[in-house]
Amino acid sequence: MMQFFDALTDDHRTFVARQPVFFVATAAADARINLSPKGMDSFRVLDANTVAYLDVGGSGNETHAHLAADGRITIMFCAFDRPALIFRIYGHGRAVLPQDAGWDALYAQFTPLPGTRQIFVIDIDEVQTSCGWGVPFMAFDRERRTLSKFHAGQSRDERLAEWADHTHSIDGLPIRVSTVAP
Ligand SMILES: Cc1cc2nc3c(=O)[nH]c(=O)nc-3n(C[C@H](O)[C@H](O)[C@H](O)COP(=O)(O)O)c2cc1C
């Protein structure tokens, strides 16, 4: 029932392109395990062994801190319609910030989102599919615009000041601050 793959197949790409939401989990020694929802057309397959997602600011920046300290990340998608499927990407990731080399080419892969803070690039170790037969049926209604509206109402300077203030994770791990707001 459970199957592992070394890289993404075309079917996997089709599946992830249809999902409105996914979840990312990261960890670091002596720190709380983080698990966050992601979505809003932020996920891209760069090639069969590499994926990326565009991160907008929120209350936390735990993924960044954990990837800098540890690097491991698991991304989970699950189907809320037919056919049932739970799809996990296991990999190692890194944050690319707007001031970093390579940002422009990477950012060009995405549709800009208000509040863009960084892009996470993940080198895939393994991909896993499992049945998903216990996941409930749910219909997609619409995107929640609250976060985007919040960011759209913030000036660049306000955003940069907020980021500059957030230099550590909730467990005290260092965060590299984005010094350019796209
Ligand atoms: C579906 C969805 C729900 C989200 N809910 C929240 C939220 O309730 N609070 C928040 O701060 N950020 C929320 N975000 C924003 C991101 O998860 C954001 O990147 C956040 O800072 C968490 O980052 P972290 O996982 O690196 O800590 C949401 C994003 C999406 C796509």
Side-chain angles (χ1 to χ4, degrees):
M1 208 114 78
M2 187 192 291
Q3 247 189 305
F4 283 93
F5 303 80
D6 291 336
L8 294 169
T9 67
D10 288 345
D11 284 350
H12 298 155
R13 288 175 185 237
T14 305
F15 173 74
V16 300
R18 289 185 55 230
Q19 304 311 310
V21 66
F22 60 99
F23 303 86
V24 305
T26 53
D30 302 321
R32 275 161 275 209
I33 294 167
N34 188 60
L35 175 61
S36 287
K38 306 287 166 186
M40 300 193 283
D41 186 29
S42 63
F43 188 86
R44 294 288 181 274
V45 175
L46 301 184
D47 59 47
N49 302 101
T50 321
V51 296
Y53 74 87
L54 184 138
D55 178 70
V56 300
S59 307
N61 200 357
E62 296 296 298
T63 305
H64 176 117
H66 289 180
L67 291 184
D70 181 291
R72 292 171 301 157
I73 182 167
T74 299
I75 301 178
M76 187 190 80
F77 295 84
C78 54
F80 297 106
D81 55 2
R82 283 201 175 82
L85 184 69
I86 298 172
F87 184 74
R88 292 184 178 86
I89 295 172
Y90 302 99
H92 283 75
R94 63 187 183 281
V96 179
L97 272 49
Q99 69 267 28
D100 289 348
W103 169 266
D104 289 344
L106 200 52
Y107 187 50
Q109 305 285 324
F110 294 88
T111 304
L113 289 172
T116 295
R117 174 169 63 175
Q118 60 202 328
I119 294 169
F120 292 111
V121 178
I122 294 107
D123 295 321
I124 296 174
D125 297 325
E126 246 176 338
V127 168
Q128 181 211 63
T129 57
S130 63
C131 67
W133 292 348
V135 178
F137 285 105
M138 288 197 280
F140 178 70
D141 180 358
R142 62 189 187 278
E143 295 285 355
R144 195 189 297 260
R145 301 278 174 210
T146 317
L147 191 63
S148 288
K149 277 188 196 157
F150 168 79
H151 285 304
Q154 227 183 12
S155 73
R156 260 202 175 81
D157 286 349
E158 283 170 331
R159 194 165 299 144
L160 289 172
E162 195 179 303
W163 290 343
D165 214 30
H166 195 166
T167 56
H168 289 85
S169 75
I170 53 178
D171 294 301
L173 295 168
I175 287 167
R176 207 158 55 87
V177 170
S178 302
T179 56
V180 178

